[in-house]
Amino acid sequence: EYLSRKLSSGVERARPAVMNTDMDAVEAENQVELEEKTRLINQVLELQHTLEDLSARVDAVKEENLKLKSENQVLGQYIENLMSASSVFQTTDTKSKRK
């Protein structure tokens, strides 16, 4: 009977050790999953910030482009006015000069 109790006691002790090992494996797997989720969340947040920065840059470039187009129109008109005021750029009618 002593031996029987001793054996059953050893088996009962072995079960929790196996259960603990299983629990440790599950816990380690959960930790790996949690770390992976955290890494993915951080990556998504970083990509969101990058997208926000790029969107802001695109908006700034669009504004600058509109400003430069406007300035080019003003400069174009100014050049046209200078050319029309200058006799060097006046169109000449060669037939009327010959007569």
Side-chain angles (χ1 to χ4, degrees):
E1 189 171 289
Y2 171 78
L3 187 57
S4 172
R5 273 189 261 157
K6 190 77 167 161
L7 283 175
S8 66
S9 167
V11 169
E12 288 174 10
R13 284 187 203 143
R15 263 191 224 130
V18 170
M19 290 176 76
N20 284 343
T21 303
D22 289 344
M23 293 296 279
D24 289 345
V26 168
E27 203 172 295
E29 188 177 321
N30 287 343
Q31 182 66 27
V32 168
E33 286 180 15
L34 180 63
E35 288 171 1
E36 180 66 11
K37 286 178 183 178
T38 302
R39 188 187 66 76
L40 289 173
I41 288 170
N42 288 335
Q43 190 175 6
V44 166
L45 290 173
E46 184 180 334
L47 289 171
Q48 282 179 336
H49 292 305
T50 301
L51 180 59
E52 288 171 0
D53 291 344
L54 289 173
S55 293
R57 272 197 223 163
V58 166
D59 290 342
V61 168
K62 282 181 180 180
E63 285 181 34
E64 182 69 17
N65 188 34
L66 288 174
K67 180 181 168 189
L68 291 173
K69 276 184 180 180
S70 176
E71 289 176 4
N72 283 343
Q73 285 177 340
V74 169
L75 288 172
Q77 188 63 47
Y78 177 73
I79 290 169
E80 265 185 53
N81 291 343
L82 284 175
M83 288 172 62
S84 65
S86 172
S87 61
V88 174
F89 296 105
Q90 292 295 320
T91 58
T92 56
D93 189 357
T94 54
K95 290 181 183 176
S96 64
K97 284 187 175 180
R98 287 185 186 160
K99 291 183 181 178

